Amino acid sequence: MGRFCIFTRKTQLAQDNVEKMINRMLEGELAQRNAKRRLERERGRREAVADMSEDLSEGEKGDTVGDLSAHGDSVRGRLPRINSVDAMEAWVNQQKGKKLYIILISLHGLLRGDNMELGRDSDTGGQVKYVVELARALASMPGVYRVDLLTRQVSAPDVDWSYGEPTEMLNIRNEDFLDEMGESSGAYIVRIPFGPKDKYIPKELLWPHIPEFVDGALNHIIRMSKSLGEQIGGGKPVWPVAIHGHYADAGDSAALLSGALNVPMLFTGHSLGRDKLEQLLKQGRLSRDEINSTYKIMRRIEAEELSLDVSEIVITSTRQEIEEQWRLYDGFDPILERKLRARIRRNVSCYGRFMPRMAIIPPGMEFHHIVPHDGDMDGEIEGNEDHPSSPDPSIWIEIMRFFTNSHKPMILALARPDPKKNITTLVTAFGECRPLRELANLTLIMGNRDGIDEMSSTSASVLLSVLKLIDKYDLYGQVAYPKHHKQSDVPDIYRLAAKTKGVFINPAFIEPFGLTLIEAAAHGLPMVATKNGGPVDIHRVLDNGLLVDPHDQQSIAAALLKLVAEKHLWAKCRQNGLKNIHHFSWPEHCKAYLSKIAGCKPRHPQWQKSDDGADTSDTDSPGDSLRDIQDLSLNLRFSLDGEKTGGSGNDSSLGSEGNAADKKSKIENAVLAWSKGVVKDTRKAVDHNSSSGKFPSLRRRKQIFVVAVDFDTIASLAEATRKIFEAVEKERLEGSIGFILSTSLAISEIRSFLASGGFSPSDFDAFICNSGSDLYYSTPNPEDGPFVIDFYYHSHIEYRWGGEGLRKTLFRWSSSVNDKKAEDAERIVSSAEQLSSDYCYAFTVKKPGSVPPVKELQKVLRIQALRCHAIYCQNGTRINVIPVLASRSQALRYLYVRWGVELASMVVFVGECGDTDYEGLLGGLHKSVILKGACSSASSQFHANRSYPLSDIMPLESPNVVQAAEESSAIRSSLEQLGCLKS
C-alpha cells in the first residue's frame, strides 16, 4: 500500500511537472507574440510619425497616451444627468426638424421585441436585448423618424414562428417625443432571409452567407429610403444617417453596406476576437488551429479589422475595451490616434492617415417600471407582501424549492453555461467557504434547457461540472439551478434576491460591459464583479459593490462574505447604486449617441444632388431619375485615349500641353450636347426601358453577365470571353443580355484586350477596372470616344483614401522588399505608373515568390492607419492598392444603387481561383459560374497565405453557384441549370 502511495505521488508530480512545462511554453509563445506585435507597432508608428514630422507640435512628439482624453472623459463626467425640464426642452428644441433614419444590424441570435429567449444558446445573450432596447430608445428620441434593426430571418421547425416574420414593429414605451408620427415612423425589426433555409445555425457558420445578407439588406434600405422620401423627403430618397454594426459579423456587413451606399458606419464589438484568442491560448486547452476551426476566429478578426478601417465611430462601453482590447488590432493604436486627433484639431494634414473615433457610451436601461423593494423576508414566501391577495411569481416558487432554508440572503448569478463566464469557480468558492455557505444560498440562472444531452457540448460540459461540484461539496439545499425561465421572469428574480438582502455576482473572467450589473443595481442589489473590463467603469459610477480577481476563488468568497455579513456595507452599496443609476438610462445613452452621429460628416449617394439646378422627377427605381441623366455633364467624362483621369493631381492630363484646353472644351461640349439629347429622348419616352438612347444601356437588360475571370494574360481572357459570348449568342444579339468586364486591368490594357480579341467597346455595357477602383461605360456614340468614366463612383469610394501619403508608404515598402534581396540586380517590386490611376496605385512584381503575402502588406498599411485594400493580381505579378470602400464586388452593388441593375439578375463568371479579391465575387444574391481549369495556377503562394479557408467566405454548397467546363456548350448548360436561360 505504501509503495502504491509513493507511485501515485510520483505520477502526480510528473503530471504537475508536465503541466508546468506546458504552461511555461505557452507563456513563452505569448510573450514572443506580444514582443513581435510591439516591435511592428513601434516601427509602423515611427514611420507614420516620420511622414508627419515636418509640422508636429511639441505636444504631439510625446509617446505617452496620457489620460486618453482622446477617447472621452470619465463616464460620470460625460453623462450629465438631464436634471431639469428646461434642459430637456432645450435639447429637444435642437432636434426639431430632423427626421433621421438609422440602421442597426445584429445578425446572430434570435431577435424579437417581447419574451426574448436570452440564454437559449451562446448566440442569444445580452447583445440581443441591448440592440432591441437601443432601437426602441432611439426611435423615441426627438429628431429620429425611423430605426430599422436588421437581422436574420429564421423559419426553422426548432424555433418559434415569430422569428420568421419579415417585419416586426417594436412598441415604443416612451412616446413623449413622438409628436410627428408618420406612416413608417418608429422602430422595426426587419428580418432578411440569408443562409440555409429552414435551419437555425450558430454565428460561426454564418460567415459564408454575409454577402447574401448584404445584398438583401441593400434592397430593403433602398426601397425604404425611397418610401421615406415620398413621405418626408419631398420626393428625394432619405438615406440612413448611419449604419451601426453590432459584433464582428454585423461589422463586416455594415462595412459593405456603408461602402455600397456611401453613408457613415458605426461599430460596437460587444466582444472582440483578438482578446478571445489570447484568452483561449492562455488556457492551453486548444491549439491555434483548433481555436480557428471551432470559432472561425481569424475570419472574425479580419471582420473587426475591416470595421476599424471603415467606421467613423467605434462605440465602446468601457475604457478597458479601448486600452486593453482594441489596441491589440493592427488598425488601432491609442498613441497614433492621439497624434492624429491633435493634427485634426489644428487643421494640419494627416498625410492620408485615419483613425476611427473611440466613443465611450455605456449601454442604457429603462428604469421607470422598476420599484426597488426593501429587503424583508421575515414572513413566509407564500403570499406577496405588497399585494397579499396576489400570489408570488411562479419563478420564485421554482427557485425556492431548491433551498432548505429560503430565508438566507441569495447570491445571484445570471450567466449562460460558458467557460468564460467562470461559473465553476464561483461554485467552488461557495463550496469551500463554510461561513459563506452557512449565511447564504446560491442561485444560478444558466439559460434554458430541456435535457443536458440536447445542449451544445461546451454548455453541457460546464453544466455537468457545476453538478459535480454541487455533489462534491454536498451543496444540496443550498444551490438553485432552475431549468427554465422567461425573459419576463428576470425582474422578478432580481426582486427576490433583493428581498432576501442578497448580492448579485458576475464572475466572468472578463466582461465587455455587464448589463446585468446595471439591472441588478436598479433593483437594489449590491454587486461583486470581475476587475477585468466593464465592471470597473460601472463601479466607478455606481460605487455599489466590490471588484475581485476572477481567477482567485478565495477573493470571490471573501467579497461575497463581506457583503452578506456586513449589513451596513450592504445597505450603503444598495443606496449608492440606486442614487447613481440614472447615469445609465436610455435617454442619456441616446443623447450621447445622437450627438456622436451629428459629429460625423454627412455622406450619401452624391448623384442625388441636383448640382445644375435642374428639376427632378419621382423615380420608379433607384436609377430612374431624370436627374441622373441631366447630371452626366458633371460626373461623366469621355476618355478618348484611355489615359488616367480624375481630380487627384497625381495623374497626367487628358492631352498634351499644346492642345489640352481645346481637347477639354471639345470633350465637355460633346458630353453636354450628348447628355441633353438623352434627356430630350427620355422625356419623350413613356416606357423608360424602351428608350434606345437611354444611358447606360445596362439599365434595359433583362440580365447582366459579368466576366470576372482572372487570367494573367490578355489572350487567355479574350478566349474565355469569346466562349461565354458564344454560349449566349442568340440572347446577346437580341439585347436581352448585357456584359460587364470586371478585372484588375487598367483601361489602357482593356483597349489592348478589345483589339486583340476582336471585340468592340459596345460589346460591353460597363468596364470595372483596376480591381474595382474605376468604372467606365461604353458610349452610345463611337465618334465621341470609346469610354465614359463615372466620376460619381470616385466620390463614392474616396472615403479615407490615403492619396500621396499612402503612395509614399507604398514606395518605402517596395524599397524594403527590394533591399532584402540586394544581391538580385533586378527589382522585385517596382511602381507601374502607366497602370496607376487616381484611385489605384499599381506595382509590378518580377518574382511573386519573393514578395510577402498580401496579409503582411495589409498589416503594414493598417498599423500606419492607412485605410485601403491591397490586392495581388494576375497570379501575383501585380499589386493594386485601392480605396477601402472599393472592390469589384462593391462596384456591382454600386450599379444597383445608381442605375437599379438588380443583383439577382447578374451572373458572375470566375475561374477556379483568381486575384486575392476573388472571394468577394462568389457570394451574394447573384449567380456564379466557376469555369473549371481557368486560373487554377493562381492558387499559389498568395492565396495559400490567407488567414482562413475559402469555406469561411463562400458557402461550399449553394444553388447559386455551379461549375462548368471552359466550353461554350458547357457554359450554356450551366446557365440553364441556374435558370438563367431556357433549355
Side-chain angles (χ1 to χ4, degrees):
M1 185 66 182
R3 290 180 180 178
F4 177 75
C5 291
I6 293 171
F7 175 77
T8 303
R9 281 196 298 273
K10 286 183 177 180
T11 304
Q12 184 62 46
L13 286 171
Q15 289 176 346
D16 290 345
N17 288 333
V18 169
E19 285 186 13
K20 288 178 181 177
M21 185 171 65
I22 292 173
N23 288 335
R24 280 197 297 270
M25 289 173 60
L26 291 172
E27 289 172 2
E29 290 175 4
L30 180 62
Q32 287 179 354
R33 286 197 303 272
N34 290 337
K36 181 183 178 184
R37 184 182 296 126
R38 280 195 300 272
L39 287 173
E40 290 173 337
R41 179 68 55 83
E42 289 169 4
R43 182 169 60 247
R45 191 187 302 141
R46 281 197 305 270
E47 292 178 357
V49 169
D51 286 349
M52 302 186 293
S53 61
E54 60 193 48
D55 52 6
L56 279 177
S57 69
E58 287 303 315
E60 292 174 290
K61 291 178 181 177
D63 268 350
T64 60
V65 182
D67 62 355
L68 283 172
S69 59
H71 307 308
D73 303 324
S74 70
V75 176
R76 195 189 300 263
R78 287 189 348 86
L79 292 176
R81 187 177 185 180
I82 304 175
N83 52 16
S84 73
V85 175
D86 290 341
M88 177 58 81
E89 286 183 354
W91 189 82
V92 170
N93 288 332
Q94 291 175 359
Q95 312 307 309
K96 282 188 175 178
K98 296 180 181 178
K99 288 184 169 60
L100 304 181
Y101 177 31
I102 298 173
I103 299 291
L104 308 178
I105 304 175
S106 181
L107 293 184
H108 64 263
L110 299 172
L111 268 69
R112 62 185 179 190
D114 297 301
N115 298 320
M116 300 178 207
E117 298 183 85
L118 301 187
R120 183 185 193 274
D121 53 37
S122 61
D123 293 346
T124 315
Q127 176 187 325
V128 167
K129 182 177 182 183
Y130 170 76
V131 294
V132 171
E133 292 301 321
L134 174 61
R136 273 201 182 102
L138 283 172
S140 70
M141 297 298 285
V144 178
Y145 188 78
R146 181 178 172 108
V147 179
D148 281 343
L149 171 53
L150 308 185
T151 190
R152 182 178 176 228
Q153 184 183 40
V154 183
S155 301
D158 57 337
V159 301
D160 191 77
W161 64 270
S162 59
Y163 301 115
E165 290 294 292
T167 306
E168 176 186 348
M169 185 173 186
L170 298 174
N171 296 323
I172 305 300
R173 292 168 182 164
N174 182 4
E175 300 187 358
D176 295 342
F177 304 125
L178 296 182
D179 54 350
E180 295 183 359
M181 295 291 288
E183 179 183 340
S184 298
S185 63
Y188 297 81
I189 295 177
V190 179
R191 300 185 178 94
I192 308 293
F194 73 99
K197 294 181 179 178
D198 306 325
K199 190 175 182 182
Y200 174 57
I201 59 176
K203 61 180 178 292
E204 289 80 13
L205 302 182
L206 279 180
W207 290 110
H209 309 286
I210 296 291
E212 186 182 355
F213 165 79
V214 172
D215 291 350
L218 191 60
N219 185 30
H220 166 78
I221 294 170
I222 288 175
R223 284 189 287 106
M224 183 50 60
S225 295
K226 179 182 176 241
S227 177
L228 293 177
E230 293 169 352
Q231 295 173 36
I232 60 173
K236 299 178 182 179
V238 175
W239 299 105
V241 69
I243 297 176
H244 186 172
H246 292 267
Y247 193 78
D249 47 17
D252 194 85
S253 306
L256 294 175
L257 286 169
S258 171
L261 291 166
N262 193 29
V263 299
M265 173 187 167
L266 281 62
F267 181 60
T268 300
H270 291 279
S271 68
L272 298 180
R274 283 200 187 275
D275 182 70
K276 180 165 186 170
L277 176 61
E278 295 287 339
Q279 296 294 329
L280 291 170
L281 288 172
K282 281 181 183 177
Q283 292 175 14
R285 299 191 186 112
L286 298 173
S287 68
R288 182 177 286 266
D289 288 342
E290 289 170 332
I291 292 169
N292 197 28
S293 175
T294 303
Y295 298 103
K296 311 297 181 187
I297 205 79
M298 299 313 296
R299 178 67 183 89
R300 174 177 169 182
I301 289 170
E302 176 56 31
E304 290 161 341
E305 292 279 12
L306 178 62
S307 298
L308 282 172
D309 288 338
V310 179
S311 293
E312 296 260 6
I313 299 171
V314 175
I315 295 178
T316 74
S317 300
T318 67
R319 288 180 182 277
Q320 185 273 345
E321 189 177 339
I322 299 169
E323 297 171 15
E324 298 183 24
Q325 297 187 50
W326 275 121
R327 73 182 307 155
L328 298 174
Y329 286 77
D330 300 329
F332 183 75
D333 176 5
I335 296 174
L336 188 54
E337 191 265 359
R338 174 173 165 266
K339 295 177 181 295
L340 295 176
R341 184 69 56 80
R343 297 181 72 88
I344 291 169
R345 282 197 297 266
R346 291 171 49 232
N347 230 4
V348 177
S349 171
C350 292
Y351 294 86
R353 290 170 169 80
F354 302 90
M355 213 49 103
R357 184 174 184 184
M358 294 283 172
I360 302 173
I361 311 179
M365 185 178 170
E366 287 288 351
F367 302 124
H368 65 273
H369 63 288
I370 299 175
V371 181
H373 295 270
D374 292 329
D376 184 6
M377 286 292 286
D378 294 336
E380 293 297 319
I381 179 174
E382 292 79 8
N384 191 304
E385 295 178 12
D386 302 306
H387 302 283
S389 60
S390 53
D392 289 315
S394 58
I395 191 65
W396 288 17
I397 309 297
E398 176 63 19
I399 291 172
M400 287 301 185
R401 71 182 179 86
F402 284 88
F403 299 135
T404 304
N405 182 355
S406 62
H407 295 281
K408 290 182 182 181
M410 178 191 295
I411 297 168
L412 172 63
L414 276 87
R416 65 178 185 271
D418 186 292
K420 66 184 180 183
K421 296 301 182 180
N422 201 27
I423 299 172
T424 52
T425 302
L426 169 61
V427 177
T428 302
F430 183 78
E432 293 193 352
C433 183
R434 182 175 293 278
L436 184 61
R437 289 165 52 183
E438 291 175 351
L439 285 177
N441 292 321
L442 176 62
T443 296
L444 306 174
I445 307 296
M446 298 180 289
N448 290 281
R449 64 186 184 278
D450 290 321
I452 295 178
D453 292 339
E454 298 173 14
M455 301 171 69
S456 68
S457 58
T458 302
S459 297
S461 175
V462 172
L463 184 59
L464 286 172
S465 296
V466 168
L467 296 177
K468 289 178 180 178
L469 288 169
I470 290 172
D471 188 69
K472 175 182 178 179
Y473 296 110
D474 194 17
L475 301 179
Y476 299 103
Q478 296 173 285
V479 180
Y481 43 96
K483 295 177 68 173
H484 298 283
H485 74 281
K486 300 189 291 291
Q487 178 58 26
S488 58
D489 291 332
V490 173
D492 289 327
I493 296 171
Y494 287 128
R495 282 179 53 227
L496 177 60
K499 287 178 75 69
T500 66
K501 289 184 164 45
V503 176
F504 182 82
I505 180 168
N506 184 335
F509 289 114
I510 186 166
E511 186 64 31
F513 183 70
L515 192 59
T516 53
L517 296 174
I518 305 299
E519 293 175 330
H523 285 84
L525 278 172
M527 74 168 185
V528 171
T530 173
K531 65 179 184 180
N532 301 324
V536 176
D537 288 342
I538 294 173
H539 182 264
R540 186 182 295 122
V541 175
L542 297 181
D543 191 22
N544 71 327
L546 302 171
L547 300 178
V548 297
D549 179 353
H551 299 277
D552 185 350
Q553 65 189 44
Q554 283 79 20
S555 173
I556 294 172
L560 290 169
L561 183 60
K562 186 176 181 68
L563 280 172
V564 169
E566 298 181 22
K567 298 302 179 183
H568 291 295
L569 176 62
W570 183 92
K572 180 183 176 183
C573 289
R574 169 189 165 86
Q575 183 181 7
N576 288 347
L578 294 173
K579 179 179 68 176
N580 296 317
I581 197 67
H582 67 268
H583 287 294
F584 299 100
S585 69
W586 274 121
E588 293 283 0
H589 178 95
C590 292
K591 184 181 172 185
Y593 183 99
L594 293 173
S595 70
K596 298 302 179 188
I597 290 179
C600 296
K601 181 181 178 181
R603 290 193 287 124
H604 53 79
Q606 293 298 306
W607 61 85
Q608 297 300 331
K609 291 181 178 179
S610 185
D611 296 316
D612 57 358
D615 293 336
T616 59
S617 167
D618 289 339
T619 62
D620 294 324
S621 74
D624 282 340
S625 170
L626 292 178
R627 177 173 52 252
D628 292 339
I629 309 302
Q630 290 163 336
D631 284 352
L632 285 173
S633 61
L634 300 169
N635 75 89
L636 300 174
R637 179 179 297 170
F638 285 109
S639 173
L640 300 180
D641 302 310
E643 294 154 339
K644 292 186 290 180
T645 56
S648 293
N650 64 312
D651 284 339
S652 60
S653 63
L654 280 172
S656 63
E657 294 179 5
N659 62 357
D662 292 339
K663 184 172 288 189
K664 179 179 179 183
S665 177
K666 179 181 177 182
I667 290 170
E668 289 178 348
N669 289 336
V671 175
L672 186 60
W674 172 74
S675 63
K676 285 181 178 177
V678 174
V679 173
K680 183 178 179 181
D681 292 343
T682 307
R683 283 174 176 162
K684 290 179 179 178
V686 176
D687 180 3
H688 287 270
N689 290 328
S690 67
S691 174
S692 60
K694 188 86 168 180
F695 181 87
S697 55
L698 53 82
R699 301 179 69 185
R700 59 179 187 269
R701 308 295 191 188
K702 292 181 180 177
Q703 293 185 88
I704 299 293
F705 286 6
V706 183
V707 180
V709 194
D710 297 325
F711 290 102
D712 50 359
T713 66
I714 287 177
S716 299
L717 176 59
E719 180 63 24
T721 304
R722 273 194 295 271
K723 289 177 180 177
I724 295 171
F725 277 16
E726 290 170 7
V728 292
E729 186 67 15
K730 175 175 173 290
E731 292 81 0
R732 189 172 74 89
L733 295 176
E734 290 173 352
S736 62
I737 294 177
F739 283 84
I740 295 174
L741 182 64
S742 178
T743 176
S744 61
L745 301 177
I747 192 67
S748 58
E749 294 175 299
I750 287 177
R751 293 173 66 86
S752 301
F753 157 77
L754 294 173
S756 64
F759 301 111
S760 166
S762 60
D763 288 334
F764 297 87
D765 294 327
F767 301 88
I768 299 170
C769 312
N770 295 111
S771 300
S773 61
D774 287 309
L775 177 60
Y776 291 81
Y777 308 105
S778 58
T779 59
N781 235 335
E783 63 189 31
D784 290 328
F787 310 112
V788 64
I789 186 167
D790 189 339
F791 280 133
Y792 271 143
Y793 181 63
H794 285 164
S795 72
H796 214 70
I797 65 172
E798 68 183 358
Y799 171 73
R800 291 196 167 173
W801 177 235
E804 286 301 319
L806 169 63
R807 189 183 179 90
K808 186 175 180 179
T809 301
L810 290 171
F811 279 127
R812 184 167 54 237
W813 173 82
S814 64
S815 298
S816 70
V817 173
N818 292 319
D819 288 342
K820 290 176 183 177
K821 304 290 181 180
E823 68 276 8
D824 294 341
E826 193 175 41
R827 290 178 65 85
I828 297 170
V829 180
S830 58
S831 175
E833 291 290 330
Q834 73 282 5
L835 301 176
S836 297
S837 68
D838 280 352
Y839 295 91
C840 176
Y841 296 144
F843 293 81
T844 56
V845 180
K846 295 296 184 183
K847 296 182 178 180
S850 301
V851 176
V854 65
K855 65 179 181 180
E856 292 301 322
L857 173 55
Q858 196 74 53
K859 177 192 284 189
V860 168
L861 296 171
R862 280 175 170 155
I863 286 174
Q864 294 201 37
L866 293 161
R867 311 298 178 174
C868 53
H869 288 314
I871 299 163
Y872 285 23
C873 319
Q874 300 176 29
N875 204 10
T877 60
R878 183 181 300 177
I879 299 171
N880 282 347
V881 180
I882 63 175
V884 70
L885 295 187
S887 72
R888 289 191 287 169
S889 57
Q890 286 291 78
L892 298 180
R893 294 187 176 107
Y894 172 88
L895 292 173
Y896 170 48
V897 177
R898 177 80 201 270
W899 303 111
V901 182
E902 293 290 342
L903 294 167
S905 68
M906 293 183 182
V907 180
V908 179
F909 293 85
V910 296
E912 286 192 60
C913 201
D915 300 348
T916 53
D917 67 340
Y918 159 85
E919 56 222 27
L921 295 164
L922 294 170
L925 291 180
H926 68 259
K927 298 174 176 62
S928 300
V929 176
I930 299 175
L931 301 182
K932 290 190 288 188
C935 313
S936 57
S937 63
S939 57
S940 60
Q941 162 228 354
F942 66 96
H943 271 287
N945 280 291
R946 191 191 293 114
S947 300
Y948 40 83
L950 193 61
S951 59
D952 287 354
I953 303 162
M954 63 162 289
L956 295 178
E957 295 181 4
S958 169
N960 282 348
V961 181
V962 298
Q963 292 193 352
E966 200 180 337
E967 299 294 336
S968 57
S969 58
I971 292 171
R972 186 169 184 91
S973 296
S974 67
L975 293 170
E976 292 171 354
Q977 181 182 339
L978 288 170
C980 301
L981 299 176
K982 294 181 180 178
S983 302

